[in-house]
Every structure is written in structure tokens, then in C-alpha cells.
Amino acid sequence: LEEKVVKNDTNFLYPGEPVSKDEIRVTAIGTGMPFARRKQASAGWLIELGNGNKFIFDIGTGSSANLNSLGVPHSLLDKVFLTHLHVDHFGDLSSLHGMGMVRGRFSPLRIWGPSSSKPELGTKAFGDAFNSLMAWDVSSRRVAVNTGNGWQAEFTEFDYSVNGHIIFEENGVKISAFPAIHCIDGPVSYRLDWNGLSIVYLGDGKPSQFLVENSQNADLIIHEAFVPAKQYAEKTHLPYQVAQNICHGVHCPPRSAGKMFEMCQPRLGVIYHTMLSEDLRVPIIDDVRYFWKGPVALAEDLCVFNITLKTITQRLAVVPDMAWPVPAHNHGSARPPMDHHDIQPMSNWLKKMEIPIEGVNTDLVDT
């Protein structure tokens, strides 16, 4: 009976459900802001295609817990696209990298991101710093775990100022990038095209002609929408001037997102990157409706969109709070040998202080 209920309940996604060959499945792993909350992690989206490809668009603070709960093998989570370098859009990249190399991702983690007006503000500089930051974590895990090349993180920086250029093209998938207007030079938005379907994702940014030019008739546009400035000031105890600078000056209120939907005409507009509470749902949607009268969804963590040429359905993922890792997609195949030639061994004076315990073998072996 339980199996039948799960199979037939179309309102929910359960971990392990396959993606149909003709569809795109989009799952919110974080819909909040830098102030991460238990019910709202910072920005992040998992996009799964019917051809087996999986992509992560942003992976903000707290989002990896939602990602892990979905039961997707880490061995398949090897492609990340960062819209910009605010911590609420990259904060859990270290967790994804560290756990992936342990959980069977034997190939490098690949990360794409924009340049900026200065080299030190671009993704290449960020990548160099990230690899330095992760050096101890990576080296220490490699002495105990078969990692292949999974310990490597490869960063690809592209020119943020080019409007609509293709930065990824593999297996019938095209991902293009275009500038976003947010704080300083550097942020971008992405468009993914596959199988006659298209997803547009704005990480952060104000209304722009760039978005209009690159988003016409997209199936799904995921657009940020801060709480309206008046309510944001009340909820966060900030002066209205500061709230307006944040909500309107470097981000946009729901009304602006609604205008972008009206100008782009997606099959479904999705708003996220807002601090939700029950009393704000109606004001947020009312503000969107000032311009946009078409279909709209107010995203929450673990909401799911299944997109085909004929339908778009919205569901909620039902996941365990205490999820265990799932096997790698190539589970059971030969693991690469452990390779320690470039790792400094533990000093002998440390080794000599170990206390042996009867029945516990502490030797490190190559499995």
C-alpha cells in the first residue's frame, strides 16, 4: 500500500525518481538570502535533464544539505555555474567539492564563472584562492580515500561583458551567459537550452535589457525578487533608506520581476531570493501582479518543476532530515588506485604518540 501511494502521489518528488527522457527537472536547493535560515538556504538550483546531465546553478550557504537530501549521486554532481561571487551564491562550494571526492566523483569538479573589471575580482582569482583554501582538506582526505582526479577543482572564467555567448556545449546542451546589473561589474545570468526547452536563471540583478534579449518565450525564468522595501525594513529593523538601497538599488522588488516576466513572456515565472513568512506571501505576489498576469510561482526550498514541451508541473520534494549518502552512479566498478606521491606524510613524532587499541587496525590501506 505504501509503495502504491508513493508511486501515485503526483504532488511530491521522492528521492531516486528518474527524470523522463524528454523533460527537464529543476529543484530549488536554496531560495533565500545571505541570512541563511533553517527553512531557507541561500541561493542554489539543481537542474537535471532527461539525457542524464545534471547542473548546479549557484550553491549558496546551507544549500548543500538540501542537495544531499535529494539522493543524487555526488559522482554526477560535477558541473557548477556561479552567477557571481557573493557568499550566498558560492558558500557551500567547499562542501560539494570535499564530499564529492569522498563519494565517488573521480573526475575534477568543474566550475564556470564570470570575470570582472579587475582580474582579482574574477573567477580565476577566486579559483586560485579556493584551491589554496582547500589544500589541507584535499591532502588529508587523499591519504585515506581513492579519489582519482576528484580532488581537483577546475575553474573556467569567461568574459562577463559578452552578451549571450555560449560558455558550455556538450551532449546537446547549450548554456549561454549574459551580463547582470548587480552591485559592481561581474555578475551574469544564464540560459540553458536542451531538447527544445529553455531555462533562464538570474542570480542577482536589477531589470535589464540583457535579460529581455536573452529570455524571450523561455519555458522557465527564475528571477530574484526581494521583499518589498517597506516590509523588508519592518522585518529586518533597518532604516527605510538602507532597505530601499538593498531591495531596489542592487536587487529588485517583486514588481520589477513581474515587469521582466511581462516583457519576456515565459511559460512560467519563478521568483526566489526572498525571505518568506506567511504574512508576506500575498504582498509579494500582489507586487508581481502589478505587471505580470501570467503563471507565477513563489519558490521555496525543495520545490520542484518538471518541464516538458506540453506541461510544467510544480511539486515539493519529500526528503529525509537525516539523509545518508547514496551510492555513486558507477558503484561497484573498479576504483582508481590511491596516489600519494605528492602528499607530505605525517611526521614520525606524531605517529609515535598513537596509542594502539586492541581489536582496532589503524593502518591505511589501498582498497
Side-chain angles (χ1 to χ4, degrees):
L1 176 61
E2 181 180 353
E3 181 179 351
K4 183 178 181 181
V5 170
V6 170
K7 182 178 179 180
N8 292 337
D9 194 336
T10 58
N11 295 304
F12 302 104
L13 166 76
Y14 296 89
E17 178 186 305
V19 182
S20 298
K21 291 183 179 180
D22 63 343
E23 74 174 0
I24 297 178
R25 186 165 72 199
V26 179
T27 304
I29 59 173
T31 59
M33 299 197 295
F35 187 81
R37 303 193 285 175
R38 290 186 62 214
K39 284 287 189 178
Q40 274 195 293
S42 297
W45 294 82
L46 172 65
I47 300 181
E48 302 174 271
L49 309 185
N51 66 1
N53 282 173
K54 301 181 188 300
F55 305 90
I56 297 170
F57 281 27
D58 285 339
I59 183 161
T61 310
S63 62
S64 63
N66 285 331
L67 179 63
N68 294 341
S69 73
L70 292 168
V72 179
H74 271 70
S75 54
L76 295 174
L77 300 175
D78 62 351
K79 294 179 283 295
V80 180
F81 292 80
L82 300 178
T83 57
H84 62 295
L85 299 176
H86 270 151
V87 69
D88 56 317
H89 292 256
F90 75 78
D92 273 12
L93 184 64
S94 54
S95 297
L96 177 70
H97 181 37
M99 289 303 95
M101 62 179 284
V102 172
R103 295 303 313 164
R105 191 195 68 242
F106 300 134
S107 59
L109 180 65
R110 303 160 68 190
I111 303 104
W112 287 260
S115 64
S116 187
S117 56
K118 298 180 180 179
E120 62 268 26
L121 298 180
T123 297
K124 183 181 183 303
F126 171 82
D128 292 342
F130 179 86
N131 284 323
S132 295
L133 172 74
M134 294 294 291
W136 193 93
D137 182 278
V138 166
S139 296
S140 63
R141 297 187 195 280
R142 288 180 67 198
V143 303
V145 178
N146 310 67
T147 64
N149 293 321
W151 60 274
Q152 300 173 358
E154 298 179 349
F155 289 81
T156 299
E157 178 181 283
F158 56 85
D159 188 344
Y160 79 99
S161 68
V162 179
N163 183 19
H165 62 147
I166 297 172
I167 61 167
F168 177 94
E169 190 167 11
E170 295 179 12
N171 201 22
V173 183
K174 291 195 302 185
I175 298 177
S176 55
F178 51 94
I181 303 175
H182 177 57
C183 295
I184 61 175
D185 285 29
V188 297
S189 300
Y190 292 112
R191 175 177 175 130
L192 182 151
D193 287 279
W194 172 77
N195 194 36
L197 300 170
S198 56
I199 310 294
V200 173
Y201 172 55
L202 172 73
D204 280 345
K206 297 190 290 184
S208 76
Q209 190 62 34
F210 299 117
L211 187 72
V212 174
E213 292 173 1
N214 289 278
S215 306
Q216 291 300 308
N217 301 307
D219 294 285
L220 203 73
I221 296 180
I222 304 170
H223 199 294
E224 70 136 293
F226 260 51
V227 176
K230 178 179 182 297
Q231 288 87 351
Y232 188 69
E234 294 171 354
K235 292 290 187 182
T236 59
H237 313 289
L238 290 171
Y240 181 80
Q241 178 186 358
V242 175
Q244 179 164 304
N245 286 346
I246 295 172
C247 297
H248 301 178
V250 295
H251 292 278
C252 70
R255 180 175 306 196
S256 297
K259 181 61 176 179
M260 290 297 93
F261 295 154
E262 193 271 334
M263 295 180 71
C264 297
Q265 294 293 311
R267 289 173 66 194
L268 177 64
V270 178
I271 55 175
Y272 86 111
H273 213 315
T274 185
M275 296 180 73
L276 293 174
S277 61
E278 290 304 321
D279 61 321
L280 290 179
R281 294 177 186 274
V282 171
I284 288 172
I285 294 298
D286 282 350
D287 207 35
V288 173
R289 290 294 185 210
Y290 189 88
F291 289 110
W292 175 241
K293 311 304 180 184
V296 65
L298 178 55
E300 302 182 38
D301 285 19
L302 295 174
C303 68
V304 182
F305 303 95
N306 288 74
I307 306 155
T308 69
L309 291 172
K310 294 182 178 180
T311 62
I312 298 178
T313 60
Q314 181 177 355
R315 299 181 291 165
L316 183 67
V318 179
V319 298
D321 290 333
M322 304 283 279
W324 283 93
V326 297
H329 75 286
N330 51 3
H331 184 66
S333 59
R335 298 173 69 90
M338 295 170 69
D339 181 8
H340 299 157
H341 71 276
D342 60 345
I343 299 176
Q344 179 68 31
M346 183 184 290
S347 299
N348 286 329
W349 65 269
L350 280 170
K351 293 180 182 179
K352 291 178 180 179
M353 297 303 288
E354 180 182 348
I355 298 174
I357 304 297
E358 183 180 352
V360 179
N361 180 7
T362 62
D363 294 332
L364 296 175
V365 296
D366 187 344
T367 55

